[in-house]
Amino acid sequence: MSETVRLTVAQALVRFLGAQYSERDGVEQKLFAGCFGIFGHGNVAGIGQALLEAELAEPELLPYVLGRNEQAMVHSAAAYTRMKDRLQTWAVSTSVGPGATNMVTGAALATINRLPVLLLPADTFADRAASPLLQELELPDSGDVTVNDCFRPVSRYFDRVWRPEQLSSAMLAAMRVLTDPAETGAVTVCFPQDVQAQAHDWPVELFAKRVWHVARPLPERAAVARAAEAIRSARRPLVVAGGGVHYSGATAALAAFCEATGIPVGQSQAGKGTLLFDHPQCLGAIGSTGTTAANTIARDADVVIGIGTRYSDFTTASRTAFQADGVRFVNINVAGLDAVKHSGIGVVADARETLEALTASLADFRVDADYEAEYQRLDAEWDATVSRVHADAPSGGLLTQNAVIGMVNELTEPRDVVVCAAGSMPGDLHKLWRTRDPKGYHVEYGYSCMGYEVAGGVGVALACPDRDVVVMVGDGSYLMMATELVTAVQEGVKVITVLVQNHGYASIGALSEELGSQRFGTRYRYRSGTGRLDGDRLPVDLAANAESLGVRVLRVRTADEFAAALREAKAATTSVVVHIETDPLVPAPDSRSWWDVPVAEVSSLETTQRARKTYDDAKSTQQTFLHPSEEVSS
Ligand SMILES: Cc1ncc(C[n+]2csc(CCOP(=O)(O)OP(=O)(O)O)c2C)c(N)n1
Ligand SMILES: [Mg+2]
């Protein structure tokens, strides 16, 4: 008989998590930096008790951080692991019922962005002795469904530990998925409240240090040959770089590939920073919120090389970005799902390994000098546009959002990290932010989740204490979830929040207007005598709100005041909120792109009828990409 130790399931869980490590390229780190948590009756005496014992006996094992909102804790964990290239993450412990289901949005965000987070929702009693419990779902037709089943479709691995004996297999399976570059995402393991407190004799081997090697799957030789052949046949090739380039640590390999071949790069939101903004082959953002340079080159590209990208609708301008007849795709991705998109030539492998192999195979290939000159001219034109709008004059006494972005860009250091997720700023940042460090740009745009911003900023700050974090958040997103400012204060981490007040939704307002819906329901206004939301502005004071959470707040209005506040925030050692009002009606420069949002086919409104006409015209340019990329078109 092997040696055993008697512990509760929760104590065993905490001890197990504290003993997990990840390794890649010879570098080892603890897989879990800690455990976020909010206690309720579902976890206070189980996992809560185990975390307490650990904190007292071995504080480094699995440090506990109290958050304010379960969804926010998952966002913080996701932001953290993104900064760590998915090699280190957090566990998140919640109570049963609402505490658990509050995490569902975070789980979807993590899974869609392919970010590993370990979710540990408590579950209702396994023994059902006192059912129904407080917060228990009772269904007339099923006894084994709980609210936690909501996690199944948004988790890459889902399990429930009904009995202590199941802990080892559940946790080993969970660790495998968390550390698998293709499968990773939210991993959810539910712990019924009574099981957490149950004691069991565990084999001590379960708690031995365990190292999970994060793979770099090698490309098949034949797949590299197919990819190289397609690229060699191209006259106007273009790389679309996504977040996978970052996670693979392939930014240097990408630069080497582009410098050797002269192939330019357009970047998705997650792919920004894969080449720095002033790299000669970097055309910046691509797609619906792209630059004119990347989008012009994309239009006529004959071979598109997607690296670590999911080809989301924003990246492909809803499949209108690539218009060349017979355009072909080469897709390098660890996930088979992505490698076959757009009927592409798939290389299911690690980005860094594949780029190195391709660079070697294409040693004799370089694009024409004319093509290089063309994209560099386009890039210089866009760069001039950026410089111009960064220096936008105030509009109606208010700074424009372009100027706010320009000033933050200018007054922060290259290694500082800008964080954003939803509203008009992600698109504007995608176009206008000059990324000067690979990790300096952190916009969550897989789920574009309002409320990610502050929580994500806390996660970034925890991951990178040597960088300043600047959270750019709109009033709408701030109102949805500013709660983690309190967590930042508690943990003594510094987050600079630029709170952009424009009294509603600039983003959806502009979209609504463009689609003929007249900015309906997108302004923060009183309901007036007309019965509509068209009265005076609501008297919200978000600066006072932030102040009430224990953060220092600087209220500014002019460019000089804003610059002074940013300098003060940079010099500070604690979190600062800079509150600025902007004009919501001045947009970022147009890049002649599209996003598929269907407009009502019939309507009594003239605005809608006109918008539908424009919609139909754009829709007619949408591509299917069903032509197999392997078949060489003449
Ligand atoms: C959780 C969530 N709900 C709704 C949306 C849809 N949505 C996208 S942007 C936006 C408005 C954001 O407002 P604000 O933060 O003030 O930014 P602004 O548009 O004014 O720049 C909404 C409602 C979303 N992305 N996430
Ligand atoms: Mg707003």
Side-chain angles (χ1 to χ4, degrees), residues 69 111 142 161 190 192 204 256 284 293 312 315 348 508 543 580 596 618 620:
N69 175 303
T111 290
S142 171
V161 177
C190 311
V204 291
S312 82
T315 303
V348 182
I508 306 299
I580 176 122
D596 189 346
S620 69

Side-chain angles (χ1 to χ4, degrees), residues 160-190:
R160 207 177 247 126
V161 177
W162 292 114
R163 295 168 58 99
E165 293 87 337
Q166 294 170 331
L167 181 74
S168 54
S169 68
M171 294 322 291
L172 293 172
M175 298 305 111
R176 185 192 71 75
V177 173
L178 285 171
T179 55
D180 182 311
E183 287 188 48
T184 199
V187 164
T188 304
V189 185
C190 311

Side-chain angles (χ1 to χ4, degrees), residues 391-413:
D392 259 359
S395 161
L398 298 174
L399 286 185
T400 70
Q401 190 160 286
N402 298 328
V404 165
I405 288 171
M407 289 177 72
V408 174
N409 209 170
E410 190 150 312
L411 293 170
T412 50
E413 292 164 81

Side-chain angles (χ1 to χ4, degrees), residues 117-185:
V117 293
L118 177 62
L119 310 184
L120 304 170
D123 221 321
T124 44
F125 285 62
D127 74 9
R128 303 185 191 170
S131 286
L133 315 180
L134 175 68
Q135 302 167 333
E136 178 169 343
L137 175 73
E138 275 188 294
L139 295 178
D141 63 341
S142 171
D144 69 347
V145 172
T146 79
V147 293
N148 286 354
D149 286 85
C150 291
F151 285 98
R152 287 182 189 270
V154 290
S155 299
R156 297 308 308 271
Y157 180 80
F158 177 92
D159 209 342
R160 207 177 247 126
V161 177
W162 292 114
R163 295 168 58 99
E165 293 87 337
Q166 294 170 331
L167 181 74
S168 54
S169 68
M171 294 322 291
L172 293 172
M175 298 305 111
R176 185 192 71 75
V177 173
L178 285 171
T179 55
D180 182 311
E183 287 188 48
T184 199

